[in-house]
Amino acid sequence: AVLEDANAELAALRRVKSAEERALCRRCCEIADDAYEHVLGKLHEGMSMFEIDAEFEYQVRLRGCERMFNVYASESLSELPWGASSRTLKRGGAAFLEISPQLEGYWTQLVRVVSVGEPSATLREMHEVTRAAMDAALPHLTPGAIVGDVLGEMESIIETAGFTVMATDTGHDLGCTLGEAATWLTRESRFPAQAGQVFEIHPVVL
């Protein structure tokens, strides 16, 4: 017997979801959205990442989610650990929230940056540039389009505005995992988009 690496073939099969799988993904997205809206009204100066995490977990557990994988930062993505901690929100800073609940085996991910008080001019500009880039590029992510070409278009808009996009990944597959090496999405991803795929697109702008 000869062992062969079938990672790419399996990843390609898993990218396309059935109608039942897509329904689970949508339900999980709705739960993440509702939890975010709930917690958004509670964020305040001095609130710890432990408190934020507890609020999120309570909300998604009420709706039937079995697991969560959340990432938080209060000042920059260089902070470690990225999980819940005693770090607190400071006025003039921001809450970096990556909210990932799992429902009946299927994950979703909601990434948000929330200003604590009035946002700085730089944070406001980064947000506006990123939204504009996503709004311009993602409508082109249609069946047959090369995924990396669309992401490259989005990243080029951000870079033209004077910012940098973290090169490790701009998104990933969603489903029974939160992404694997074969399903990280970058401008180098050369496979075509297909109907039924579920992706998380989150450019990290520096």
Side-chain angles (χ1 to χ4, degrees):
V2 178
L3 297 179
E4 296 285 349
D5 183 0
N7 197 39
E9 288 80 1
L10 287 173
L13 289 171
R14 289 171 58 174
R15 285 191 195 113
V16 179
K17 306 296 190 293
S18 68
E20 182 181 7
E21 289 176 302
R22 294 196 303 275
L24 276 172
C25 290
R26 288 191 188 95
R27 282 175 53 201
C28 199
C29 286
E30 291 168 0
I31 291 170
D33 285 341
D34 289 347
Y36 170 71
E37 290 297 331
H38 171 85
V39 174
L40 185 62
K42 292 179 172 289
L43 294 177
H44 59 81
E45 182 180 6
M47 190 175 191
S48 74
M49 298 299 157
F50 282 132
E51 293 175 283
I52 295 172
D53 190 63
E55 290 284 353
F56 275 125
E57 180 152 9
Y58 181 69
Q59 291 301 312
V60 302
R61 294 283 190 182
L62 280 177
R63 300 281 294 276
C65 289
E66 59 266 26
R67 285 200 292 170
M68 288 193 72
F69 174 80
N70 294 348
V71 172
Y72 307 109
S74 59
E75 294 184 20
S76 78
L77 290 177
S78 62
E79 294 176 4
L80 292 174
W82 283 358
S85 71
S86 60
R87 292 193 306 274
T88 59
L89 299 180
K90 297 178 176 59
R91 182 160 296 276
F96 299 85
L97 310 174
E98 186 177 286
I99 308 148
S100 306
Q102 184 190 50
L103 178 70
E104 297 184 34
Y106 284 79
W107 294 89
T108 193
Q109 190 170 87
L110 180 65
V111 181
R112 291 290 184 269
V113 179
V114 181
S115 175
V116 184
E118 188 66 21
S120 67
T122 300
L123 183 61
R124 186 186 298 275
E125 183 183 5
M126 292 171 75
H127 179 265
E128 291 173 353
V129 166
T130 303
R131 283 292 302 271
M134 295 179 75
D135 288 345
L138 293 186
H140 300 156
L141 191 58
T142 55
I146 300 301
V147 172
D149 290 346
V150 177
L151 299 185
E153 177 187 353
M154 180 180 67
E155 293 180 16
S156 292
I157 295 172
I158 294 169
E159 291 163 353
T160 299
F163 297 103
T164 301
V165 180
M166 192 167 72
T168 51
D169 68 273
T170 302
H172 48 79
D173 181 47
L174 282 177
C176 293
T177 70
L178 271 171
E180 302 176 42
T183 53
W184 295 133
L185 305 180
T186 73
R187 64 176 72 193
E188 305 301 324
S189 299
R190 304 316 303 164
F191 61 87
Q194 299 178 60
Q197 292 173 327
V198 181
F199 296 135
E200 164 71 2
I201 308 296
H202 56 45
V204 179
V205 180
L206 307 173

